[in-house]
Amino acid sequence: MHAWPASEVPALPGKGRDLQIHDTATQGTITLDPGPVARIYVCGITPYDATHIGHAATYNAFDLVQRVWLDTKRQVHYVQNVTDVDDPLLERALRDGQDWTELAERETALFREDMTALRMLPPQHYIGAVEAIPGIVPLVERLRDAGAAYELEGDVYFSVESDPHFGGVSHLDAEAMRLLSAERGGDPDRPGKKNPLDPMLWMAARPGEPSWDGGSLGRGRPGWHIECVAIALDHLGMGFDIQGGGSDLTFPHHEMGASHAQALTGEFPMAKAYVHAGMVALHGEKMSKSKGNLVFVSALRRSGVDPAAIRLALLSHHYRADWEWTDEILADAVARLERWRAAVSRPDGIPADALVEEVREALANDLDAPAALAAVDRWVERQIATDGDDESAPGLVSRTVDALLGVAL
Ligand code: 5CA
Ligand code: ZN
């Protein structure tokens, strides 16, 4: 699949700091020390409704990760998937009497437009589940042949007991896992499973549903977790730097994905850090396609909201916080954008070298975007109140805000 065009990232003077980030698996903050090419996998959308503010907030967090790494003069190898075949997508297509491939293509196209408008840097590899199937089948066969997977009425399940590290991402107890598994696409109550938590790797073809040639697995379609593992291992290999997504993916998706990869390769861990963004709510409940309480990025854009203001609204919350979207948050962001633009439109101003370092420090500290905004606010206030004569300052502030926060002034 093609991704979306990259906005240019201006180079800043000096060099950024190494990223310290909260890792769900070790339950603490770690300093990542990627090689010259940092490797990140971020779970992409299931394209039956794109892109709400919750999605945008999560992708904003991982966009900041890339910007911090680029500022340390590293390259970034970024991979993202599109879950373009899965139960919720097929159910929505059936409900609305439309072709599932057309629905997926349309919503993916809209997602690309939204990501472009928000200046989110694109992945180098943007891979759909459907196009990944030829790579998924041999992985499932390998797991089965190694005794880490078993067949049940034609479907193939992964045995969670085959990974000694299972549980090490989410640290949940069995009961909590069981509840979340039932809520998030699993089938803990299906009779015949070795462990209720075992997730499906390959689903045998069902009447009326799309299916693909699965070699020795028979016709069918892939399970959700193996999709991301196949794509990540193909393009990044084991031991990549960050596996990212919203906190609702911690269990089962990222737990199961890590176990699939570790059982396949015998290596540990799949990712050096498992990084999770908080959930954005609307009217007191998590924004979700299934509940329908959504604010769409495309609808805001159509109503004339500047994407840079949407981006500032996202940045005004720490990525790990759960927060609630309100009109007031957007109004504050619009006002901030105006103030910042007025401040950098002056021909000269007060020096900004210290600001560059403050923004760098804030972001390197577990992506503290609110602290970065506060630092820019302080410069803007002084710039408006004081008559400075540094001709390079407004340009440097614009480039800093663009390079590190993805906001074009
Ligand atoms: N296709 C899978 C991942 S492989 C999936 O979860 N798709 S999704 O469309 O449901 O979500 C895409 C990303 O947005 C995920 O990282 C998810 O955790 C995140 N997300 C979904 N809803 C919210 C929300 N309300 N707030 C923050 N992030 C969210
Ligand atoms: Zn995923």
Side-chain angles (χ1 to χ4, degrees):
M1 255 187 209
H2 67 284
W4 54 91
S7 53
E8 212 180 300
V9 181
L12 299 176
K15 199 171 162 209
R17 293 154 202 239
D18 279 338
L19 178 64
Q20 290 190 305
I21 194 113
H22 186 272
D23 168 34
T24 306
T26 52
Q27 300 174 296
T29 302
I30 60 171
T31 305
L32 284 172
D33 181 21
V37 183
R39 294 174 294 163
I40 177 167
Y41 184 92
V42 180
C43 283
I45 56 162
T46 305
Y48 65 94
D49 245 351
T51 317
H52 62 63
I53 289 289
H55 298 139
T58 289
Y59 296 111
N60 178 55
F62 298 101
D63 190 69
L64 296 180
V65 168
Q66 292 195 70
R67 289 172 185 279
V68 170
W69 278 339
L70 290 172
D71 187 41
T72 61
K73 314 300 175 205
R74 291 183 171 91
Q75 287 176 16
V76 180
H77 192 169
Y78 175 24
V79 180
Q80 190 181 127
N81 68 307
V82 186
T83 308
D84 59 359
V85 62
D86 200 8
D87 293 341
L89 174 77
L90 298 175
E91 282 159 19
R92 175 64 61 93
L94 194 66
R95 187 197 81 179
D96 296 349
Q98 53 185 330
D99 181 86
W100 65 274
T101 55
E102 277 170 25
L103 173 63
E105 272 168 33
R106 193 178 65 234
E107 296 300 331
T108 305
L110 189 56
F111 179 71
R112 289 190 190 98
E113 278 176 31
D114 291 332
M115 291 295 107
T116 308
L118 293 171
R119 292 173 88 76
M120 304 280 183
L121 296 169
Q124 281 79 42
H125 297 279
Y126 192 46
I127 312 287
V130 172
E131 62 184 322
I133 289 173
I136 293 172
V137 170
L139 297 191
V140 177
E141 288 174 328
R142 256 169 61 194
L143 284 168
R144 183 199 55 196
D145 297 346
Y150 59 94
E151 205 182 301
L152 179 60
E153 296 157 335
D155 300 325
V156 182
Y157 281 89
F158 175 72
S159 185
V160 293
E161 269 127 44
S162 65
D163 173 29
H165 297 283
F166 176 72
V169 174
S170 66
H171 304 283
L172 296 169
D173 62 36
E175 188 47 28
M177 285 184 180
R178 199 186 163 106
L179 287 171
L180 284 175
S181 160
E183 226 175 80
R184 298 175 178 166
D187 54 3
D189 299 324
R190 179 169 178 179
K193 289 171 68 173
K194 290 187 181 164
N195 183 315
L197 299 173
D198 292 344
M200 214 183 266
L201 290 166
W202 186 255
M203 183 195 275
R206 310 282 201 261
E209 286 190 359
S211 63
W212 289 264
D213 178 13
S216 69
L217 308 172
R219 283 196 76 80
R221 63 181 161 98
W224 175 28
H225 320 304
I226 192 69
E227 163 196 342
C228 285
V229 170
I231 296 169
L233 294 187
D234 190 17
H235 294 283
L236 298 173
M238 280 299 272
F240 55 91
D241 295 288
I242 288 182
Q243 157 79 82
S247 59
D248 58 342
L249 297 187
T250 306
F251 192 89
H253 189 49
H254 290 170
E255 187 76 69
M256 296 300 178
S259 279
H260 291 355
Q262 286 151 194
L264 269 165
T265 62
E267 292 171 39
F268 176 85
M270 179 186 78
K272 292 181 188 140
Y274 295 83
V275 178
H276 293 109
M279 289 291 112
V280 182
L282 182 70
H283 306 141
E285 273 198 282
K286 174 195 159 187
M287 228 181 249
S288 80
K289 291 180 276 210
S290 50
K291 291 199 197 88
N293 56 336
L294 305 172
V295 175
F296 290 108
V297 171
S298 49
L300 292 175
R301 292 198 289 120
R302 266 200 311 276
S303 70
V305 178
D306 189 326
I310 304 174
R311 184 98 195 213
L312 277 180
L314 304 174
L315 290 162
S316 68
H317 296 83
H318 192 274
Y319 82 97
R320 284 207 285 136
D322 294 328
W323 55 283
E324 170 129 4
W325 176 260
T326 61
D327 292 344
E328 206 184 350
I329 289 169
L330 184 59
D332 287 349
V334 169
R336 178 179 260 141
L337 184 63
E338 267 175 36
R339 281 199 310 277
W340 286 16
R341 283 189 172 149
V344 299
S345 68
R346 297 189 173 190
D348 50 21
I350 53 171
D353 310 84
L355 173 64
V356 180
E357 296 311 316
E358 282 177 68
V359 174
R360 278 178 166 152
E361 191 180 337
L363 292 182
N365 176 21
D366 199 21
L367 305 174
D368 192 347
L373 298 197
V376 180
D377 282 343
R378 285 194 297 274
W379 181 86
V380 164
E381 271 165 40
R382 280 186 286 131
Q383 163 78 345
I384 288 170
T386 325
D387 200 13
D389 58 5
D390 182 340
E391 287 174 8
S392 68
L396 181 57
V397 173
S398 287
R399 285 197 301 281
T400 303
V401 166
D402 187 357
L404 295 177
L405 301 172
V407 175
L409 293 180

